[in-house]
């Protein structure tokens, strides 16, 4: 019971921290919409082109803009010592990484999910495709959160090369984007591709706590 | 075989190995190039461009083998706490990157006259280019961390995660319908290549492997000298 209370307190704190930094998230979403505008200006506003390219453009931009803020995943908690306090309170590093991943999914990826309908209006994506896009983004963004947890915990002590974490996530997100765009664009292949996507999610969700827990421990020991 | 996991033994054994390796690499490179460029026959379909294969295939094998070696040594370094694994990881990453680049560039040079394009997005080519990006990221990790202990463990964890790409590269030609041809030489069946072409291929492979091993030994020795505690 005490443990559950601790977890609830953790999420309450995450909520407050993310609420105070809400303009970061809003800036991220603004970046997303502006890049959609830029894409439309560059490929031209014809409806045929947009409906052909729309899903791919949308997924790419979602990926790029959700990896923008990855550096803040653990960095703030690491620098003000919250990670050590959490660890002293009986949270193992593996559990911390699971909790932070879920919190990142809710507080950072969720606003992107909310902005998908508006973006798909801009890119002229039909309603059925939008449902598939939404579904694929729910699964894919959770994979992205796991990957982000691994890469940002790896780069906690990296003071020189800030972009390395984003590059790591982008490399590993190639299968996600292949399967989720395929899920939407290829007809009558829905079940197999969504099974592959869920399988990827389960694999990465299983690897994530061990990899990022080890990296967090390493960073705290050597800071 | 303790020299494979112990730095001091490796230093001693590599002193013995280095002169034969120089001899083998020079001799086999000369003989192999002679075979590959003059003595081997032209292909009935590809003409002289088949000779690019004698560079392309060995470098691709070495590119994969280097990552496999790094994966094994990451496990040795992380699980058995032997720092020699991390030394190897740091030393061989640029070698793998260069051989992957040679593989990609030579394949692209072959593809223009044969397939009519420098690059196609099929599974084998894409996965090899991702392998190249992995090598680059490992080199970047090695360059950008200040703390040595953190750097080597982080790069080992990254190598372990990145090793999922290896079976994808190996089996990409079987799993997907690719423009790249499936493996010609395999252990289980007789190779579907003429003996007059497999001889220079094997000679060039030995030459390439010994060159890669030579560079690796030199880099590992430098790494052992510059490292404070082994």
């Amino acid at each position: 019971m005490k443990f559950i209370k601790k977890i609830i307190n953790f999420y309450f704190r995450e909520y407050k921290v993310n609420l105070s930094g809400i303009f970061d998230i809003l800036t991220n979403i603004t970046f997303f919409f502006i890049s959609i505008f830029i894409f439309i200006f560059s490929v031209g506003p014809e409806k045929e082109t947009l409906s052909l390219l729309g899903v791919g453009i949308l997924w790419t931009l979602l990926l790029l803009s959700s990896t923008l803020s990855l550096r803040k995943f653990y960095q703030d908690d690491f620098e003000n010592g919250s990670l050590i306090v959490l660890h002293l309170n009986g949270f193992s590093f593996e559990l911390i990484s699971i909790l932070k991943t879920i919190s990142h999914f809710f507080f950072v990826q969720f606003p992107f999910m909310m902005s998908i309908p508006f973006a798909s209006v801009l890119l002229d994506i039909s309603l059925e495709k939008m449902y598939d896009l939404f579904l694929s983004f729910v699964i894919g963004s959770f994979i992205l959160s796991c990957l982000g947890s691994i890469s940002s915990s790896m780069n906690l002590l990296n003071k020189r090369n800030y972009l390395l974490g984003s590059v790591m996530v982008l490399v590993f997100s190639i299968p996600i984007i292949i399967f989720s765009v395929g899920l939407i664009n290829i007809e009558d292949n829905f079940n197999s591709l969504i099974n592959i996507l869920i399988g990827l999610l389960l694999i990465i969700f299983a690897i994530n706590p061990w990899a990022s827990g080890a990296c967090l421990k390493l960073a705290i020991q050597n800071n | 075989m303790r020299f494979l996991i112990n730095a001091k033994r490796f230093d001693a054994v590599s002193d013995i190995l280095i002169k034969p390796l120089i001899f083998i690499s020079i001799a086999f490179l000369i003989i192999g190039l002679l075979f590959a460029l003059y003595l081997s026959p032209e292909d009935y379909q590809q003409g002289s461009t088949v000779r690019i294969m004698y560079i392309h295939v060995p470098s691709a094998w070495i590119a994969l083998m280097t990552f496999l070696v790094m994966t094994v040594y990451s496990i040795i370094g992380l699980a058995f706490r032997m720092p020699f694994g991390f030394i190897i990881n740091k030393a061989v990453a640029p070698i793998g990157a260069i051989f992957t680049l040679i593989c990609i560039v030579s394949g692209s040079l072959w593809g223009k006259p044969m397939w009519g394009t420098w690059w196609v997005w099929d599974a084998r080519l894409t996965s090899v280019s991702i392998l190249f990006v992995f090598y680059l990221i490992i080199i970047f990790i090695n360059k950008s961390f200040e703390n040595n202990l953190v750097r080597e463990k982080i790069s080992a964890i990254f190598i372990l995660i990145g090793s999922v790409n290896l079976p994808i590269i190996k089996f990409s030609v079987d799993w997907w319908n690719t423009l790249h041809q499936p493996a010609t030489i395999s252990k289980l069946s007789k190779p579907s290549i003429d003996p007059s072409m497999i001889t220079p291929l094997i000679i060039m492979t030995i030459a390439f492997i010994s060159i890669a091993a030579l560079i690796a030994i030199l880099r590992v020795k430098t790494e052992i000298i510059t490292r404070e505690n082994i």
Side-chain angles (χ1 to χ4, degrees):
Chain A
M1 202 57 221
K2 213 174 164 188
F3 190 65
I4 295 171
K5 210 172 167 185
K6 271 183 192 169
I7 291 179
I8 292 169
N9 279 335
F10 172 82
Y11 279 112
F12 191 63
R13 179 183 169 275
E14 283 288 309
Y15 167 71
K16 280 205 280 192
V17 168
N18 278 301
L19 199 67
S20 66
I22 190 152
F23 285 102
D24 287 355
I25 300 168
L26 287 179
T27 316
N28 249 346
I29 293 182
T30 317
F31 176 87
F32 172 59
F33 276 102
I34 298 238
S35 46
I36 288 179
F37 291 165
I38 287 173
F39 231 114
I40 292 176
F41 289 136
S42 65
V43 298
E46 284 85 20
K47 290 229 163 188
E48 297 80 50
T49 329
L50 284 185
S51 61
L52 202 70
L53 295 174
V55 176
I57 291 173
L58 204 54
W59 242 107
T60 314
L61 295 178
L62 279 171
L63 191 68
L64 289 178
S65 33
S66 66
T67 50
L68 266 184
S69 64
L70 266 185
R71 211 181 143 64
K72 289 172 65 67
F73 201 116
Y74 289 115
Q75 195 75 33
D76 293 347
D77 284 354
F78 179 67
E79 274 164 7
N80 62 22
S82 314
L83 281 179
I84 300 174
V85 174
L86 279 173
H87 186 60
L88 290 176
N89 269 302
F91 285 50
S92 66
F93 289 117
E94 288 81 13
L95 186 66
I96 292 174
S97 69
I98 294 176
L99 293 177
K100 284 290 282 187
T101 309
I102 295 169
S103 121
H104 183 264
F105 175 66
F106 273 112
F107 293 117
V108 178
Q109 310 275 26
F110 204 65
F112 282 110
M113 247 177 264
M114 291 297 101
S115 60
I116 284 180
F118 305 105
S120 47
V121 169
L122 290 177
L123 283 168
D124 197 41
I125 294 168
S126 64
L127 205 58
E128 297 89 50
K129 274 193 177 181
M130 203 197 81
Y131 287 137
D132 293 353
L133 181 67
F134 203 79
L135 186 64
S136 71
F137 190 69
V138 170
I139 301 171
S141 64
F142 202 83
I143 304 179
L144 285 182
S145 292
C146 293
L147 289 175
S149 162
I150 295 174
S151 83
S152 57
S153 63
M154 275 183 179
N155 286 295
L156 275 180
L157 287 183
N158 180 358
K159 299 277 192 292
R160 280 188 239 167
N161 202 342
Y162 290 125
L163 266 175
L164 195 58
S166 303
V167 172
M168 282 182 193
V169 173
L170 287 182
V171 167
F172 283 109
S173 65
I174 290 169
I176 307 169
I177 206 159
I178 290 173
F179 292 122
S180 27
V181 175
L183 178 80
I184 303 155
N185 278 343
I186 301 168
E187 316 270 312
D188 58 290
N189 212 354
F190 185 82
N191 283 329
S192 62
L193 285 176
I194 204 158
N195 284 343
I196 292 174
L197 213 55
I198 292 173
L200 277 177
L201 169 66
L202 292 177
I203 291 171
I204 292 174
F205 191 63
I207 294 173
N208 166 32
W210 309 114
S212 33
C215 294
L216 282 179
K217 202 175 163 188
L218 201 65
I220 284 176
Q221 280 171 350
N222 290 290
N223 191 15
Chain B
M1 297 302 277
R2 274 185 68 88
F3 74 98
L4 286 177
I5 50 173
N6 186 318
K8 289 205 173 75
R9 295 261 180 109
F10 185 89
D11 211 25
V13 172
S14 60
D15 283 339
I16 307 167
L17 277 179
I18 202 158
K19 272 177 187 164
L21 267 179
I22 293 174
F23 177 74
I24 289 174
S25 54
I26 292 173
F28 273 77
L29 195 63
I30 291 170
I31 299 169
L33 282 178
L34 206 65
F35 261 100
L37 296 181
Y38 294 107
L39 300 177
S40 73
E42 286 189 355
D43 191 78
Y44 77 101
Q45 205 176 12
Q46 303 174 18
S48 245
T49 48
V50 74
R51 302 186 200 283
I52 293 174
M53 176 192 76
Y54 305 124
I55 305 282
H56 177 74
V57 175
S59 53
W61 282 342
I62 288 173
L64 278 185
M65 205 173 67
T66 312
F67 210 95
L68 194 65
V69 167
M70 283 162 71
T71 311
V72 172
Y73 274 105
S74 302
I75 295 171
I76 288 175
L78 283 179
F80 302 107
R81 295 177 189 278
M82 290 176 183
F84 186 59
F86 303 132
I87 296 177
I88 295 269
N89 275 348
K90 192 187 176 191
V92 302
I95 302 173
I98 291 297
F99 276 104
T100 318
L101 194 63
I102 291 174
C103 167
I104 293 173
V105 169
S106 62
S108 170
L109 289 174
W110 181 86
K112 184 61 183 170
M114 286 301 114
W115 292 344
T117 168
W118 297 108
W119 186 263
V120 282
W121 287 103
D122 85 10
R124 177 57 76 83
L125 277 71
T126 313
S127 51
V128 171
S129 55
I130 291 171
L131 180 77
F132 182 60
V133 176
F134 277 155
Y135 276 123
L136 285 185
I137 290 178
I138 292 162
I139 295 171
F140 293 157
I141 289 175
N142 282 334
K143 291 288 173 202
S144 55
F145 279 90
E146 282 155 6
N147 191 331
N148 224 7
L149 197 77
V150 179
R151 167 187 63 74
E152 51 198 27
K153 283 197 177 167
I154 297 272
S155 70
I157 294 172
F158 183 79
I159 290 164
L160 281 186
I161 300 173
S163 66
V164 291
N165 196 19
L166 288 182
I168 296 178
I169 295 175
K170 175 77 184 77
F171 298 110
S172 58
V173 282
D174 306 326
W175 290 346
W176 288 285
N177 189 13
T178 57
L179 194 57
H180 192 285
Q181 58 177 338
T184 314
I185 296 156
S186 77
K187 244 190 297 181
L188 298 176
S189 59
K190 217 170 146 248
S192 56
I193 180 172
D194 194 73
S196 64
M197 285 180 179
I198 203 168
T199 327
L201 185 59
I202 287 171
I203 295 172
M204 285 299 279
T205 308
I206 294 170
F208 267 54
I209 286 176
S210 52
I211 290 170
L214 196 62
I215 305 171
I217 282 174
L218 290 175
R219 285 187 59 91
V220 171
K221 277 172 81 77
T222 331
E223 195 63 30
I224 289 173
I225 291 168
T226 50
R227 218 181 129 93
E228 287 156 10
N229 51 339
I230 297 166

